[in-house]
Amino acid sequence: MATKKKTAARPKAKAKAASRKVVKLASRKPAAKVKARAPAKPKAAASGIKIPKRSMKPWGQDGKALDGVRILDFTHVQSGPTCTQLLAWFGADVIKVERPGIGDITRGQLMDVPNADSLYFTMLNHNKRSITLDSKSKEGMRVLERLVKTCDVLVENFAPGALDRMGLTWERIHTWNPRMVVASVKGFGPGPYEDCKVYENVAQCAGGSASTTGFRDGPPLVTGAQIGDSGTGLHLALGIVCALFQRNRTGRGQRVLASMQDGVLNLCRVKLRDQQRLAHGPLKEYSQYGENIPFGDATPRAGNDSGGGQPGWILKCKGWETDPNAYIYFITQAPVWEKICDLIGKPEWKTDPDYAKPPARLPRLRHVFDTIEQWTMTMTKFEVMNACNAVDIPVGPILSMKELAEEQSLRESGTIVEVDHPTRGKYLSVGNPIKLSDSITEVKRSPLLGEHTDEILSKVLKFTAAEIAEIKASGATGEAPKAKMAAE
Ligand code: COA
């Protein structure tokens, strides 16, 4: 609390410098040694958990945040793999269990290079190890039992009931390993739809996003951001880390559930806010209000309205006739309204009672943005951005994936990384979007199907050579001559 107050009281320039410092710290390579006196004895935090002696190693050189955490990764497609990839980037040892001969279905989906794992797969499974295992066979279950006993977390996003049908009920897992955290993504939480299979866009529709995205006079729209899959994976990752933290105190694991409908609804929180505001009158920040179109009984689609307290819209910039992304999002933030007026050549709006104050502008937002657009159309989106940022007006150029892929600063921060892969060669990926200053992410390529089967059986699970031979001969890992014969 005290720190917060201090920051709030800081002059703007200092606060800006401080925020720049944080960004720099996150992306900076480890530098000098920490010069601080280590406390004599471990202390206890308020939670009662012992805090170890402070590390004296240079920043970023004392391991990773989740070192020592081992994950049994039973995930596939996008939501679950997003979660376990994040945990792997933070240092967890993620062991991905895949069906022999097939693996995660995305390995072969949206393929662009023949006989190489797809980008769909490679971009969601960095820093993991892969073991192939038929979990429905006797020997497969023998391996799984040992994996459960060896790992800290099991993460899965099978269809409802699939884990139980495999024989891996919570009760069984908890008996084998009472410390294990069992984390699941499901389409819906408990209720009438809990047994349904769900993909990204189903979640976007069921979680309130589609009904509030698009233009008022058009159909509901899904968004490009994978808020149902990757968004839920993020939610699950937080749940897992919290469960591990609680385990430090309680000594026991627990179940973690992130439903995709809940995750999307959480991200649509502001739309449920507006739903309730509707009971008290029209939503004046929506341009529909200025256009005298009555509101219905549910939060409407609002096109490109910001929907927040600071009205905004997407405006054309120079070149819009041929470039589909020559646009900019312009926010008429109240504190900089006078600067906006000066910049767009409408200084008289500063004192005009129809435009000077935010409530007066609400019924005429369309006209305000049309006027600003006359100005933005005279420049490229980057020129508009420079001109606006010079006087603190918040704007967002519409960046294409091509522009993002080529953006040097994203390469330097590790947000976009180039990865080399043995069968597909070099490709770009999104690296870890969360930067920790003392746990530096190294992005390593995704594993080939079953690449680490032997290593995991022997080094992690400590099966003897004879036991490994037995397991393989059974076909449980899909590599035995017996298994091949059966498939022929
Ligand atoms: N060995 C043997 N069997 C395996 C296996 C292994 N290593 N891994 C998976 N299987 C089996 C499962 O046990 C299941 O068998 P069952 O149906 O006989 O019990 C089967 O493979 C298929 O699993 P399922 O999850 O039903 O896959 P699906 O392709 O039919 O459905 C989804 C895919 C994504 C729709 C579904 O998994 C789902 O709804 N998941 C939860 C929500 C979610 O995460 N959706 C977003 C995905 S990005």
Side-chain angles (χ1 to χ4, degrees), residues 89-152:
W89 278 336
F90 289 127
D93 177 13
V94 175
I95 297 174
K96 187 170 173 102
V97 179
E98 297 184 81
R99 236 185 311 188
I102 304 167
D104 187 326
I105 195 167
T106 59
R107 284 187 186 266
Q109 285 180 330
L110 314 179
M111 281 174 90
D112 56 331
V113 176
N115 304 319
D117 285 332
S118 70
L119 287 168
Y120 195 0
F121 177 84
T122 55
M123 291 177 72
L124 285 161
N125 289 285
H126 292 110
N127 295 49
K128 304 180 185 177
R129 296 197 271 179
S130 165
I131 175 174
T132 44
L133 203 61
D134 177 0
S135 62
K136 288 181 177 159
S137 70
K138 190 166 153 266
E139 288 297 309
M141 189 47 81
R142 177 182 174 197
V143 176
L144 267 177
E145 177 177 348
R146 203 167 285 191
L147 268 170
V148 168
K149 288 177 175 166
T150 313
C151 291
D152 300 277

Side-chain angles (χ1 to χ4, degrees), residues 76 78-79 99 133 135-136 157 159 165-166 197-198 229:
H76 63 158
Q78 185 183 162
S79 63
R99 236 185 311 188
L133 203 61
S135 62
K136 288 181 177 159
N157 68 311
R165 285 196 292 278
M166 262 182 208
K197 286 186 176 180
V198 168
D229 278 340

Side-chain angles (χ1 to χ4, degrees), residues 39 43 57-59 79 130 170 189-190 287 333 406 435 448 477:
K43 280 191 177 165
K57 291 191 180 163
W59 294 110
S79 63
S130 165
W170 157 254
S287 38
Q333 193 205 12
E406 290 164 359
K435 321 288 190 213
L448 301 173
T477 56

